[in-house]
Amino acid sequence: MMNTMTTDELTIAIAVPLEAEYVEQIRAVDPSVTVLYEPDLLPPERFPADHAGDPAFTRTPEQEERYWAMLDRAQVLYGFPNESPAGLARIANSNPHLQWIHAMAAGAGGAVKASGLDTETLRKFHVTTSAGVHALPLAEFSAFGILNGFKRSAEMAIDQAAKVWPELRTPTKLANGSKVVIAGLGEIGMETARIARALGMRVSGTKRNVSAIEGIEEVTNNDGLVALVADADAVVNTLPGTPYTEKLFNRDIFSAMKTGTVFVNVGRGTVVDEDALLEALDNGQVAYACLDVFAVEPLPQESPLWNHPRVLVSPHTSALSTAENRLIAERFCNNLRIFLDGGELPHLVDPVHFY
């Protein structure tokens, strides 16, 4: 059950960089809510939605004391303190009346786990994620990856760099009529499915709780992934990193794919066995891989993925857009209304499984 309280007692602290206009939107949700916002205590953003802010930013001892005093007064936090697992651990132990923290990330479970807090402590307050805010940019990036693979953009870039005009013209693949399998039909997966269907693609996918979904040809759990990918033209992973998804895309999955499959990963890098992916790229079962996430980030310099001619490396930035801060603030405002009305908050991080 929600741990609700009367609105005249509710104080919200802005723990991460945020434009003043969005702070005002939060204040406007309910006149009885107090919002604590001290921009001089927050690092400046280096780019839109830079939630951690400039790493060169430092607070004076007096500012540091003010920052934590502000956070300790609040029942609700917008962002993890210092946008870090260590900040989450500290506030959980120093603020006895903390009820809810809204995380900037869609997949905040990893940071919650990294805080090292025990389950009993984590059950004392809620952590919600910004899941769904990134659905559209990630879905657009997935479509971009599929089309890059189908239209052979990597090969064209190599030919262009070498100023080669091939004598033999190689046909490209139509998205229309092709089959895409989406591992993880959550908000990101469903938005990807919507765009894929607009391109005329047939869509199947996986879901933890299997049920029929309008417009999706076949839905299975992850155990059925091997069968699903066997006739897929493209496969997109949107799954989060959990113990249950670690290296889900292994040699068995890649070897089940037909020659020339396009693979896109916008979920988490730990879901993919990168050695198995490289083997599939080298034997042609994967014709092209568009990767926004990796098992180790930043991607190590020695990784062969950097230089592979049919791999696009994106530095975990495909979810970012200039609209992100606005979208997260809007999501938080909607959640705040639910919280004030005593409802159940969406997108809660599970304190045991961290998804």
Side-chain angles (χ1 to χ4, degrees):
M1 294 294 291
M2 287 288 302
N3 183 17
T4 56
M5 64 192 308
T6 58
T7 57
D8 60 0
E9 298 173 344
L10 192 67
T11 299
I12 301 167
I14 309 297
V16 294
L18 185 65
E19 293 89 335
E21 63 183 295
Y22 304 131
V23 177
E24 291 308 313
Q25 285 186 16
I26 294 169
R27 285 196 172 111
V29 171
D30 194 283
S32 58
V33 168
T34 298
V35 178
L36 306 177
Y37 170 63
E38 298 193 41
D40 65 312
L41 303 181
L42 304 172
E45 290 185 311
R46 296 160 293 172
F47 48 83
D50 180 19
H51 306 300
D54 188 345
F57 172 80
T58 58
R59 301 185 189 95
T60 65
E62 183 272 336
Q63 288 177 318
E64 188 73 6
E65 187 176 338
R66 279 172 52 209
Y67 179 71
W68 287 103
M70 175 182 74
L71 302 187
D72 283 335
R73 286 176 55 197
Q75 290 86 26
V76 176
L77 298 188
Y78 185 92
F80 291 162
N82 294 327
E83 192 58 5
S84 72
L88 172 60
R90 174 168 170 173
I91 198 66
N93 290 309
S94 68
N95 185 335
H97 45 261
L98 182 65
Q99 293 198 21
W100 166 34
I101 302 178
H102 184 76
M104 300 296 97
V112 175
K113 184 177 182 180
S115 73
L117 293 168
D118 58 63
T119 304
E120 183 181 355
T121 301
L122 289 172
R123 289 193 190 282
K124 293 178 181 178
F125 57 92
H126 297 301
V127 176
T128 54
T129 76
S130 293
V133 164
H134 305 110
L136 182 56
L138 287 171
E140 288 186 356
F141 187 85
S142 298
F144 159 81
I146 293 169
L147 290 173
N148 267 352
F150 284 8
K151 305 307 177 185
R152 303 175 51 250
S153 65
E155 296 165 57
M156 285 190 279
I158 291 170
D159 287 344
Q160 181 177 344
K163 299 181 181 177
V164 170
W165 190 283
E167 290 185 19
L168 296 176
R169 299 174 66 189
T170 304
T172 60
K173 179 178 285 190
L174 279 178
N176 188 283
S178 295
K179 175 182 175 179
V180 60
V181 168
I182 300 170
L185 288 169
E187 288 181 282
I188 296 167
M190 287 305 298
E191 189 66 13
T192 302
R194 183 186 68 79
I195 293 176
R197 291 180 63 215
L199 291 170
M201 301 186 78
R202 298 178 294 110
V203 182
S204 292
T206 69
K207 203 170 186 294
R208 191 164 66 243
N209 300 314
V210 177
S211 60
I213 301 174
E214 185 178 356
I216 308 298
E217 291 188 354
E218 187 176 356
V219 180
T220 73
N221 59 25
N222 288 338
D223 292 338
L225 191 57
V226 171
L228 280 188
V229 303
D231 62 344
D233 300 288
V235 177
V236 177
N237 175 58
T238 74
L239 291 167
T242 74
Y244 306 104
T245 63
E246 187 165 354
K247 293 188 177 179
L248 173 69
F249 281 90
N250 54 22
R251 284 181 176 85
D252 291 342
I253 299 292
F254 285 118
S255 63
M257 295 179 185
K258 66 183 183 182
T259 299
T261 302
V262 171
F263 180 70
V264 178
N265 190 6
V266 295
R268 281 295 182 265
T270 55
V271 182
V272 176
D273 181 332
E274 291 175 356
D275 290 336
L277 172 58
L278 282 161
E279 288 178 14
L281 283 159
D282 290 341
N283 68 29
Q285 282 178 295
V286 173
Y288 177 81
C290 180
L291 309 173
D292 186 50
V293 289
F294 303 89
V296 176
E297 296 181 0
L299 183 63
Q301 292 292 303
E302 64 273 16
S303 172
L305 292 169
W306 278 113
N307 298 318
H308 199 287
R310 288 178 286 108
V311 172
L312 177 66
V313 170
S314 166
H316 205 152
T317 57
S318 70
L320 297 179
S321 75
T322 54
E324 180 169 321
N325 275 357
R326 174 178 61 81
L327 294 171
I328 293 177
E330 289 174 355
R331 170 63 60 85
F332 177 77
C333 288
N334 290 336
N335 287 356
L336 178 57
R337 188 70 266 164
I338 293 170
F339 183 80
L340 291 170
D341 293 342
E344 294 292 326
L345 287 169
H347 306 297
L348 287 165
V349 173
D350 186 293
V352 176
H353 302 296
F354 303 107
Y355 55 71

